[in-house]
Amino acid sequence: MIDLTLGVSVNALSSGGALLGRVGDEEVLVARVGDRFFAVGAHCTHYHGPLAQGLVVGSTVRCPLHHACFSLETGEALRAPALDAISCWRVERRGDTVFVREKAEPPPAARPADPRRHPSSIVIVGGGAAGLAAADMLRREAYEGPIAIISADPDPPIDRPNLSKDYLAGEAQEDWMPLWPPDLYAQRHVELVLESRVVSIDPAARTLALDNGTRRDFGALLLATGADPVRLTIPGEGGQVLYLRSFSDSRAIVERAGTATRVVVVGASFIGLEVSAALRTRGVAVDVVAPERVPLERIMGAEIGRFVQSLHEAHGVVFHLGETVASVAGRTVTLSGGTKLEADFVVMGVGVRPAVALAEKAGLAVDRGLVVNEFLETSAAGVFAAGDVARWPDPHTGERIRVEHWVVAERQGQVAARNMLGRRERFDAVPFFWSQHYDVTIRYVGHAERWDRVNVDGSLDARDASVSFMREGKRLAVATVSRDRENLEAEVELEGTTAAR
Ligand SMILES: Cc1cc2nc3c(=O)[nH]c(=O)nc-3n(C[C@H](O)[C@H](O)[C@H](O)COP(=O)(O)OP(=O)(O)OC[C@H]3O[C@@H](n4cnc5c(N)ncnc54)[C@H](O)[C@@H]3O)c2cc1C
Ligand code: FES
């Protein structure tokens, strides 16, 4: 790898290009934007993604793994899922050579735009992706008032997507899971109230009540209550049926998997299938029971659905499609068609519902989610919503949509935070999510609830493909396998397409 302190020819890089080198022991990315050169840390602060394989867009670089976006000028993590900045180095150009010099000091903290417009206090209901990203952004934006995160969970905000992936497979440690190190809450003066449920809100009086009987006032409120797993009543069930949403849910599955030989997973959803992959990694036999003809067909189309099914079958998962569970009795799971399966326990992955009960009770507008405008404001002044619970007007499809994607939840939390401080920033990010099955990751950018054509470029079987979902000739979404840069390019393309409103 080239030593960047010795200089790089300016001709080695065209505008928009980036090159990987090192300074001492650190890997550094040099990027060119027009006639300006930047040097930044080469790895994303989310999951260490290789930024050299990402995309330079304007004076930013985007990570190929989960689309975090960093400023090349300051290193700041402009868009989640990364929250922390990357390092920057000073660059000097002499003639046709660019030299990377010493590491630059991090930029000073932002000055509050106009503190007189800031709310007296901010309460965030929900200690998940959106809630934590909002608190993080409020402090980055130099909000100096009190911030409280109230969460029904017993654990601090954690990396929820990992609950069905490496953590469940036994390949990620407990201490990798928290989104913030434990002492950061005190350092950044964010009060974290755990195992506490907000039971009512009075938006006009700007107060809320907790399940322990206490009340709190707020200047502004963020509802980031996420979604709850759909729970089915199964005849005969007596503690063998587990769900997966929280850290404690995942720990419970890990504990039961320790002595299990066979598990039935109900639902061929992303979560059901990721749980299947994790359990197979632990050597547990898995049967998947689901009513659909092809897994994931409704969300990703039959092509990707069949590909994911064959991937799981190659790892020993047995599918029972077109079936549901009729009853559970001890270790016997009886399917609707009469088949009997053995299982030490059952994991349900049959979807989630937005957690709107609190908002509904407070009289906020609810329509298959908590309705927000483009600034993520609910129908009550001073009350915002973000994440799985929120249904927002998506400028790209021209429709009101609600999704269950980690990156969207965090980005909405960030935008809602800035808007609580008086910015009028529209939420216009193109939705993105990823899903991991063994050594294959699918990345999906855009949003297509309906499509009339699917274009497959490359080969899914060869694990090298880009699948476009089209409606009336317009590309609405793209799913890729092993084409991470193409997925970023599609994100940029989709950002440019805004439905007429
Ligand atoms: C196992 C699993 C794997 C996933 N994998 C992926 C993935 O690979 N890629 C992807 O894009 N997305 C994935 N997701 C989805 C992603 O995690 C969600 O989209 C994201 O967590 C939503 O964030 P949120 O902040 O809206 O809600 P959450 O993260 O669910 O947080 C909601 C919080 O609100 C709290 N709460 C609810 N009601 C109250 C109340 N009344 N009072 C106080 N607190 C309350 C809850 O306790 C919780 O802390 C996964 C989800 C799960 C469960
Ligand atoms: S590793 Fe960069 S966004 Fe996840």
Side-chain angles (χ1 to χ4, degrees):
M1 199 180 293
I2 57 170
D3 183 344
L4 296 168
T5 60
L6 301 178
V8 183
S9 162
V10 294
N11 300 322
L13 277 172
S14 53
S15 183
L19 178 151
L20 183 65
R22 67 177 169 82
V23 174
D25 290 340
E26 291 190 72
E27 291 191 7
V28 172
L29 187 76
V30 174
R32 178 173 184 171
V33 180
D35 272 340
R36 301 174 70 203
F37 290 83
F38 301 95
V40 294
H43 292 281
C44 176
T45 54
H46 178 229
Y47 272 21
H48 211 64
L51 296 179
Q53 291 164 36
L55 196 64
V56 173
V57 182
S59 56
T60 69
V61 60
R62 299 189 189 189
C63 176
L65 299 195
H66 317 104
H67 294 201
C69 174
F70 296 92
S71 163
L72 288 168
E73 304 190 43
T74 64
E76 190 189 352
L78 298 172
R79 292 203 226 167
L83 301 178
D84 297 323
I86 47 176
S87 300
C88 290
W89 279 259
R90 192 171 67 80
V91 174
E92 189 183 346
R93 180 173 176 171
R94 281 202 203 156
D96 282 346
T97 308
V98 163
F99 297 89
V100 177
R101 303 297 193 198
E102 73 282 354
K103 209 180 243 188
E105 287 296 318
R111 290 167 66 88
D114 181 1
R116 283 167 308 176
R117 295 171 67 194
H118 287 181
S120 53
S121 65
I122 293 179
V123 174
I124 296 167
V125 186
L132 194 277
D136 183 85
M137 186 53 75
L138 286 168
R139 287 298 184 234
R140 273 207 257 164
E141 290 282 323
Y143 175 62
E144 288 175 351
I147 302 173
I149 300 178
I150 303 175
S151 177
D153 285 342
D155 293 287
I158 43 110
D159 182 3
R160 204 175 300 283
N162 214 331
L163 297 179
S164 53
K165 303 181 180 66
D166 293 351
Y167 180 78
L168 192 60
E171 291 170 351
Q173 296 163 16
E174 287 257 334
D175 61 357
W176 297 358
M177 298 299 283
L179 293 183
W180 269 9
D183 51 2
L184 203 54
Y185 293 91
Q187 268 177 41
R188 299 183 78 181
H189 304 287
V190 173
E191 183 190 0
L192 183 60
V193 185
L194 297 176
E195 283 191 284
S196 296
R197 189 167 280 279
V198 176
V199 289
S200 66
I201 305 164
D202 182 340
R206 300 211 174 188
T207 62
L208 54 78
L210 272 69
D211 54 359
N212 63 8
T214 58
R215 301 191 76 80
R216 275 178 184 253
D217 298 334
F218 58 83
L221 182 70
L222 176 66
L223 291 175
T225 48
D228 297 319
V230 171
R231 291 177 189 267
L232 301 180
T233 310
I234 297 177
E237 190 261 312
Q240 311 92 313
V241 176
L242 306 182
Y243 291 82
L244 177 55
R245 183 78 193 179
S246 64
F247 205 178
S248 35
D249 293 340
S250 189
R251 287 194 191 106
I253 298 176
V254 167
E255 198 185 313
R256 298 280 283 264
T259 53
T261 54
R262 304 199 67 89
V263 170
V264 166
V265 173
V266 182
S269 60
F270 283 115
I271 290 183
L273 293 174
E274 287 188 352
V275 167
S276 304
L279 292 173
R280 289 300 301 130
T281 306
R282 287 180 175 273
V284 177
V286 176
D287 288 284
V288 172
V289 179
E292 55 264 44
R293 192 175 52 96
V294 178
L296 307 174
E297 186 175 13
R298 190 178 56 79
I299 300 161
M300 288 255 180
E303 295 79 1
I304 294 183
R306 276 194 286 268
F307 162 66
V308 174
Q309 181 178 349
S310 64
L311 187 63
H312 282 270
E313 284 170 341
H315 283 82
V317 174
V318 178
F319 283 83
H320 307 267
L321 298 169
E323 295 256 34
T324 53
V325 172
S327 65
V328 178
R331 290 190 81 246
T332 306
V333 178
T334 306
L335 306 190
S336 46
T339 306
K340 291 191 187 307
L341 303 174
E342 256 186 50
D344 296 290
F345 62 93
V346 174
V347 181
M348 299 292 273
V350 293
V352 296
R353 285 200 188 97
V356 291
L358 189 61
E360 220 159 15
K361 199 170 140 193
L364 304 182
V366 168
D367 171 20
R368 295 161 297 144
L370 180 43
V371 176
V372 291
N373 64 12
E374 63 270 48
F375 306 112
L376 305 177
E377 293 164 313
T378 68
S379 55
V383 181
F384 294 74
D388 283 8
V389 74
R391 185 173 286 277
W392 81 98
D394 172 41
H396 308 288
T397 52
E399 293 166 5
R400 284 190 167 276
I401 64 171
R402 190 187 70 75
V403 301
E404 291 142 16
H405 305 350
W406 180 258
V407 171
V408 172
E410 288 195 321
R411 289 183 179 177
Q412 287 190 342
Q414 295 181 323
V415 170
R418 289 195 283 259
N419 288 340
M420 284 192 281
L421 301 184
R423 300 265 188 94
R424 295 296 280 172
E425 183 178 324
R426 286 169 200 279
F427 181 76
D428 60 3
V430 173
F432 166 81
F433 76 90
W434 79 102
S435 181
Q436 183 188 318
H437 307 260
Y438 312 98
D439 56 346
V440 172
T441 300
I442 300 167
R443 303 187 204 283
Y444 179 103
V445 69
H447 184 79
E449 286 179 20
R450 289 164 284 120
W451 56 85
D452 51 34
R453 196 155 52 90
V454 172
N455 289 344
V456 181
D457 179 47
S459 158
L460 283 164
D461 289 338
R463 301 183 180 187
D464 173 23
S466 169
V467 180
S468 297
F469 299 86
M470 316 286 296
R471 194 164 76 212
E472 293 166 9
K474 184 179 163 192
R475 189 149 90 140
L476 296 180
V478 181
T480 58
V481 175
S482 312
R483 293 190 182 188
D484 300 347
R485 213 180 131 93
E486 235 175 276
N487 204 281
L488 279 172
E489 286 163 353
E491 180 178 62
V492 175
E493 177 199 307
L494 292 167
E495 282 168 359
T497 54
T498 304
R501 279 183 289 172

